Amino acid sequence: MSVSLDAPLRISLFRRGGFIPATLLRRAVVPAMIVALWQGLTASGLVDPQTMPPPAAVAESFWQLIVTGQMWPNLLISLERVAAGLTLGVTIGTALGLTASLSRLGEDAIDASVQMARTLPHLALIPLMILWFGIGETPKIVLIALGSMFPIYLNLFSAVRGVERKLVEGVSVLGLSHAETIWHVILPAALPGFFVGLRQAFGISWISLVVAEQINASSGIGYLVMNARDFLRTDIIFDGLLVYALLGLTTDQLVRALERKLLVWRPSIVTVKGV
């Protein structure tokens, strides 16, 4: 005996995750169109396969990197570098941002120097990094930390200074101390801005990693890409770029999920009904 589902029930199961989530389908439309265009260009001969290999060749080489064990150790090394650099950068950026935003004296002492430092292209500091720290892991981590520090500082500074004065004045009648006001009122109100900075910091960290792994690296995704360039393996170069893109998307989604969990109190003009 077969059981058929009527249309409303099928739609209900679809929306509740019984099949493929509608959100996932919507987000896959543009990447699917790009892959289709890519395949069409290579199949028609408009693009040299040696310069831009077809998606099938990229997928095959990606699978070979996995089954031969080349992908995972290098991926782990890259993740460790980003974790170390991002932790350092977020810590320093948060400390400087809070010091400058919560105190006029702190702003006078810190802000001008930070603004001058952030206008320097941190990727152009690689020669100095090598001179100061050698060619080991330290310059790679410092480079990532520098790139991720400034978005945290700027967004946190702006978020703290953007807290409504009426909100602070309103809770003053509760008899909170200055420290309690900062902890219970100002910092929670500044969290949305901090998360924006964190998303930007993750993105810059992956960009910095691409360059950092060209500093005499013997491991990491960047090392695979550099090796592939030497042997004209454009398919593996595309594999490396794909890994960087997926890592960036994954970390961004993780930060957004954490943001939704911690900021359930925040009103939003975007509401989801149905799908």
Side-chain angles (χ1 to χ4, degrees):
M1 180 178 66
S2 62
V3 179
S4 61
L5 300 176
D6 58 11
L9 181 55
R10 286 198 302 270
I11 295 174
S12 176
L13 287 175
F14 184 85
R15 289 176 175 173
R16 296 184 183 184
F19 302 112
I20 301 175
T23 302
L24 183 60
L25 286 177
R26 289 195 297 266
R27 292 182 177 179
V29 169
V30 173
M33 292 174 62
I34 293 175
V35 172
L37 177 62
W38 178 6
Q39 179 64 41
L41 290 174
T42 54
S44 63
L46 295 175
V47 177
D48 182 5
Q50 185 62 36
T51 304
M52 179 179 286
V58 173
E60 182 181 355
S61 61
F62 189 86
W63 176 249
Q64 288 300 318
L65 289 175
I66 293 176
V67 297
T68 57
Q70 297 181 64
M71 176 63 73
W72 302 121
N74 288 290
L75 177 60
L76 182 60
I77 293 295
S78 293
L79 290 174
E80 289 175 351
R81 288 168 179 157
V82 167
L86 188 69
T87 300
L88 181 61
V90 170
T91 301
I92 296 174
T94 301
L96 293 177
L98 290 177
T99 302
S101 60
L102 293 173
S103 166
R104 183 66 64 182
L105 179 62
E107 180 183 5
D108 293 340
I110 294 173
D111 189 64
S113 299
V114 173
Q115 297 302 331
M116 287 189 293
R118 80 178 182 87
T119 58
L120 299 175
H122 72 286
L123 298 180
L125 299 176
I126 292 177
L128 283 177
M129 295 292 173
I130 295 175
L131 287 174
W132 291 344
F133 304 112
I135 55 176
E137 291 297 306
T138 303
K140 301 176 180 62
I141 293 173
V142 172
L143 198 66
I144 295 170
L146 277 176
S148 60
M149 178 183 73
F150 298 116
I152 296 294
Y153 173 86
L154 289 174
N155 283 278
L156 186 57
F157 181 93
S158 177
V160 171
R161 289 297 176 91
V163 176
E164 293 187 15
R165 180 176 294 274
K166 291 182 179 180
L167 180 62
V168 178
E169 293 174 349
V171 299
S172 63
V173 300
L174 300 177
L176 297 180
S177 65
H178 182 64
E180 290 173 332
T181 300
I182 292 174
W183 181 255
H184 294 289
V185 179
I186 296 178
L187 292 185
L191 273 180
F194 173 80
F195 277 113
V196 172
L198 187 59
R199 292 177 64 186
Q200 293 176 341
F202 263 112
I204 295 177
S205 294
W206 295 117
I207 295 174
S208 301
L209 178 69
V210 175
V211 180
E213 290 189 329
Q214 298 180 21
I215 306 176
N216 196 43
S218 58
S219 60
I221 300 300
Y223 169 73
L224 287 180
V225 172
M226 297 297 291
N227 255 1
R229 182 200 64 181
D230 295 337
F231 290 98
L232 300 179
R233 290 293 305 274
T234 51
D235 52 345
I236 296 181
I237 294 176
F238 272 87
D239 291 333
L241 296 176
L242 178 62
V243 170
Y244 283 128
L246 291 177
L247 288 173
L249 177 62
T250 301
T251 51
D252 186 74
Q253 293 300 312
L254 288 175
V255 173
R256 293 182 67 179
L258 181 62
E259 182 181 10
R260 287 193 296 268
K261 185 175 181 63
L262 294 181
L263 304 181
V264 292
W265 49 267
R266 182 181 60 175
S268 174
I269 62 172
V270 178
T271 58
V272 180
K273 295 181 179 181
V275 177

